[in-house]
Amino acid sequence: MIKLDYKLYNTISFRSFLKGYVNEKYKNHPVLSQKMEAIDWLLEKETAKLTAKTFFNVIKSLELDLKTICDLFFKTIPSIKLKSIKSSKNRLEDLLGPYFNSKLELVTASGIKETTLNELFDNKFDRLYAYEACAIAISFGIEPAVLFDYFYGDGERPMIGIIPA
């Protein structure tokens, strides 16, 4: 099973990452100090483990690109894409195969706990941590930003597309 070090993706590391990113992106721009203050304000009540909902809301509040932030912040996450149950030349099986794996196989590929998956099946999305949402997305071959938007976005849910292997 893959071992995830949540400390790499916790609130402290996220704050530090965001400040560096925003500082570089808005260097010599009048909104820089406002964005830096907003980071502290938006994260001040967050626990040590960064929730997926807070991660999403902070990115949206700062008007940053969710895909870019996911790609950069979670670039070292060790999760892997689930394999199809059978190796086949059937395109439909190749497309849907990862979705028919067991919870145990998802736990192994993603590195998250089975109790977390059970909570998700009980619609407890507020308890999901940001790194867990990303790990699940990677395991199913979905862009992490799309899964965050699917779980926490306003309006119509985005279409879930599978990332090509």
Side-chain angles (χ1 to χ4, degrees), residues 78-100:
S79 300
I80 59 171
K81 185 175 177 183
L82 286 164
K83 304 289 184 219
S84 294
I85 292 175
K86 300 176 188 174
S87 180
S88 149
K89 298 210 186 296
N90 182 314
R91 290 183 184 169
L92 184 60
E93 266 187 45
D94 291 342
L95 174 68
L96 299 177
Y99 296 99
F100 294 113

Side-chain angles (χ1 to χ4, degrees), residues 4 77 110 112-113 116 127-137:
L4 285 173
I77 205 158
S110 66
I112 64 172
K113 297 177 183 170
T116 299
R127 296 182 184 180
L128 185 66
Y129 295 118
Y131 73 93
E132 293 170 332
C134 183
I136 291 168

Side-chain angles (χ1 to χ4, degrees), residues 19-33 35-36:
K19 286 190 170 196
Y21 180 83
V22 166
N23 190 43
E24 186 64 33
K25 182 175 176 67
Y26 294 100
K27 191 184 321 185
N28 302 323
H29 198 280
V31 299
L32 177 61
S33 63
K35 296 269 187 191
M36 294 299 233

Side-chain angles (χ1 to χ4, degrees), residues 16 55 66:
S16 177
F55 175 87
L66 184 59

Side-chain angles (χ1 to χ4, degrees), residues 16 29 50 62-63 75 81-82 87-88 97 104 119 137 140 148:
S16 177
H29 198 280
L50 178 67
L62 293 171
E63 298 175 331
K75 69 182 176 188
K81 185 175 177 183
L82 286 164
S87 180
S88 149
L104 181 58
E119 288 180 346
F140 281 109
F148 278 102

